[in-house]
Amino acid sequence: MSVPTTQKAIRIHENGGPEVIRYEDVPVPEVGERQILVKTEYSGVNFIESYFREGLYKAELPLTLGREGAGEVMKVGSGVKKFAVGDKVGYCQPGAYCEYIALNEDARVVKVPDNLDTKQVAASLIQGLTAFVLTTKTHPVKKGDYVLIHAAAGGTGLILVQLAAHFGANIIATTSTPEKAELVKNAGAQHVVNYKTEDVVARVKEITNNKGVSVSFDSVGKTTWDISMESLGMHGHMVSFGNASGAAPPFSVLSLSAKNISVTRPVLFNYIPDEKSWDEITKEFFGLVNAGTVKIAISKTYPLKDFATAITDLESGKTTGKLLMSHL
């Protein structure tokens, strides 16, 4: 199949709301000696795109959005050894919302594992690997731990629940509807709290016999910060890894002393800074997916041109599981 000279991409030229998102023509990149050209088939929808679009995370503009994708290798540079034309690969790299992307072969690129396809891999990378490093490296979850997981019916939340269940934890998950609660229970959560109708802190105290949880995995940020902090037990660990409701508020370090609380702000990419760590973590995680320990729930797929609708749906809090963009 021949490769065109221009392609469609999702870009922003200024910060703002969904109205600044553009679907426009850009050149197809050439490949260098150690690069591959991938025709993306699917890419993932993640809150991080909103952070860059709004300017919470800084980046040079214009910016092609997207952080993960999967597709087919169309060209390889003369020095490429790991990949060949026709290989199916997944990747975690900026600029995924385009039809073709040039990637360094030693960057965060992985061959699609046996028994999986590009759709499953595109849906697994950022949220799946984030959940994996949170539960194995940021706060290694142990059998018997009480853990609090916010936004448990979302893409990352559902995988966090499955991994915490796999490690033998007692899971307290927060959701907003009975339908989401059922989804989270089926993923392995023993206790589900509807944060719209119940007092989360009171329920945590009731479930833990006033001891509190060992860790709170909090991707929501502003509106759940106090809930997470109050729900922690002695020596509790606050893992703040998202800003779905806005940035987490400033706090006094002295407020941590009453329960010896520790606070962490982990970033997935700091756990996979090189080829070796990337290969190890993707192998372990996709091993769990292939074994059926982790199931990836894809709730909806949108055409690439409809990214503004997809991210608006995600920000509404009404979706569950993973949202994908189709480039086909």
Side-chain angles (χ1 to χ4, degrees), residues 83-129:
F83 303 101
V85 171
D87 283 347
K88 296 287 189 175
V89 299
Y91 62 87
C92 277
Q93 291 292 319
Y97 292 160
C98 56
E99 295 174 294
Y100 295 88
I101 186 169
L103 304 165
N104 295 333
E105 73 163 334
D106 60 353
R108 292 182 284 266
V109 189
V110 61
K111 287 185 180 179
V112 171
D114 293 341
N115 305 318
L116 299 179
D117 57 28
T118 53
K119 191 172 188 179
Q120 292 167 304
V121 170
S124 303
L125 286 166
I126 286 184
Q127 292 178 336
L129 297 180

Side-chain angles (χ1 to χ4, degrees), residues 178-194:
E179 294 76 18
K180 289 183 178 183
E182 191 64 26
L183 190 65
V184 170
K185 285 179 183 176
N186 290 337
Q190 298 93 335
H191 310 278
V192 182
V193 182
N194 185 323

Side-chain angles (χ1 to χ4, degrees), residues 60-71:
E60 186 176 340
L61 301 176
L63 175 70
T64 300
L65 297 172
R67 290 293 180 280
E68 64 182 340

